[in-house]
């Protein structure tokens, strides 16, 4: 699969002039024959509870949209086939489709913790999700058919009117500055908060690579939960009364408890190690609640992994967004699905390999097959389906 950034739009040019600044349309970013995703591929995931799926139908008479959430029945999806103006969306498709996993690998110039997933949309003629904005960067790749894009060039403001009659966050109006029709192989990049509207010209399939844009509220909640659940993340303290507690004004809050609270907040903010551990854990926690869970079939134990790899098995990382690492003063910590695992400081090359390589095999892992710590971590990753075992043919 050819890399999309080349020629006059090299990766350096893109990151300097476009990333989080302005939209970019890349015609023929991919070869037209790069993808053979079908309607059935998307339907198959939409009927499974392991994938987050939505169907959006537009009523063109009163210009309204209705949202249906999956999992769906196959017959239910087929009943829409003769209709126009609907779109089926499925998240996390890289977990199921090798082509989408390979597509996501082409965007690994962005750190793992910022990557989200590859969403696929199957749209009937006229199908769309309505005029809207995303809070994150997005790449939209046309896989088959054609889609007309209407785009505003300036980010939306907080006072922009939204529709009150829709079950989704849709703009009341769109005033496009540019418009173009995406054909198979074309790619559109949109920075956050840019109003846009993609309308299927006929039946079409579009891939959307989205990115995480963490909010401070989410991280504050994560810090609170980890402090509560794991005492060693941060040691809480309790307020201690001053020597002279008596007061003639019992309804008033004095400066004393506020000074204590402010000092505690300052202590938390300055505890960089605890903040790093919370951040890494939170950013690898599944965005959606339908992660497949534990492996359904038995996986090799730590002791069996070396022989399993020698016999030709490979371990494929399900998605890069679920695993990162960071160095600390006394160890390396790997985070997978929000779970923290500790390695020796000298294990940094192993951590880089796990988090930076899509397919692991005997040749890439042979330097670590004597390390019990590494083997136990790989067993954990196989058990939790961060790594998927592909049986060898030897």
């Amino acid at each position: 699969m050819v890399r999309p950034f080349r020629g006059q739009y090299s990766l350096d040019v893109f990151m300097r002039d476009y990333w989080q600044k302005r939209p970019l349309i890349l015609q023929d970013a991919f070869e037209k024959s790069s993808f053979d995703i079908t309607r059935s591929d998307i339907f198959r995931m939409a009927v499974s509870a392991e994938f987050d799926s939505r169907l959006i139908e537009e009523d063109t008479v009163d210009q309204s949209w209705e949202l249906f959430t999956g999992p769906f029945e196959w017959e239910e999806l087929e009943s829409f086939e003769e209709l126009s103006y609907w779109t089926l969306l499925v998240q996390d498709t890289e977990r199921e489709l090798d082509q989408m996993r390979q597509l996501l690998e082409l965007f690994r110039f962005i750190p793992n913790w910022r990557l989200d997933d590859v969403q696929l949309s199957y749209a009937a003629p006229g199908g769309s999700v309505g005029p809207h904005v995303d809070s994150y960067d997005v790449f939209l790749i046309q896989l088959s058919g054609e889609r007309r894009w209407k785009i505003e060039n300036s980010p939306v403001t907080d006072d922009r009117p939204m529709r009150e009659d829709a079950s989704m966050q849709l703009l009341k109006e769109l005033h496009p500055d540019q418009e173009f029709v995406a054909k198979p192989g074309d790619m559109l990049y949109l920075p956050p908060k840019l109003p846009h509207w993609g309308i299927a010209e006929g039946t079409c399939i579009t891939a959307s690579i989205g990115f995480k844009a963490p909010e401070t509220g989410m991280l504050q909640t994560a810090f609170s939960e980890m402090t509560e659940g794991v005492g060693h993340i941060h040691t809480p303290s309790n307020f201690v009364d001053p020597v002279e507690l008596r007061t003639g004004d019992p309804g008033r809050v004095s400066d004393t408890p506020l000074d204590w609270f402010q000092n505690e907040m300052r202590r938390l903010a300055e505890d960089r190690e605890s903040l790093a551990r919370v951040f890494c854990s939170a950013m690898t926690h599944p965005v959606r609640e339908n992660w497949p869970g534990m492996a359904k079939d038995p996986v090799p134990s730590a002791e069996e992994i070396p022989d399993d790899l020698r016999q030709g098995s490979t371990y494929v990382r399900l998605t890069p967004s679920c695993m990162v690492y960071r160095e600390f003063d006394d160890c390396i910590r790997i985070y997978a699905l929000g779970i923290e695992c500790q390695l020796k400081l000298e294990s940094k090359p192993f951590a880089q390999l796990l988090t930076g390589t899509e397919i692991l095999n005997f040749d890439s892992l042979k330097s670590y097959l004597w390390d019990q710590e590494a083997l136990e971590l790989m067993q954990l990753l196989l058990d939790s389906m961060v790594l998927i075992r592909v049986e060898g043919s030897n």
Side-chain angles (χ1 to χ4, degrees), residues 82-100:
E82 296 181 4
L83 305 175
S84 297
Y85 304 103
W86 61 274
T87 298
L88 175 65
L89 307 168
V90 181
Q91 305 289 151
D92 299 304
T93 62
E94 75 281 1
R95 291 183 352 208
E96 176 74 11
L97 302 173
D98 288 343
Q99 290 180 61
M100 295 301 97

Side-chain angles (χ1 to χ4, degrees), residues 106-120:
L106 298 179
F107 295 85
R108 294 294 306 288
F109 55 88
I110 302 298
N112 286 8
W113 69 267
R114 281 279 271 124
L115 290 171
D116 187 358
D117 73 330
V118 183
Q119 173 192 271
L120 282 175

Side-chain angles (χ1 to χ4, degrees), residues 80-81 104 109 118 127 135 143 152 161-162 165 175 269 272 315 357:
F80 279 88
E81 288 270 66
L104 190 57
F109 55 88
V118 183
S135 60
L143 305 190
E152 292 186 21
M162 306 296 287
D165 59 345
H175 307 287
R272 192 169 181 82
Y315 302 157
T357 307

Side-chain angles (χ1 to χ4, degrees), residues 18 20-23 134 136-138 189-194:
Y18 294 93
Q20 297 208 321
K21 296 182 182 73
R22 53 189 174 133
D134 296 313
Y136 46 82
D137 305 87
V138 63
Y189 163 72
L190 293 172
K193 301 290 187 181
L194 216 63

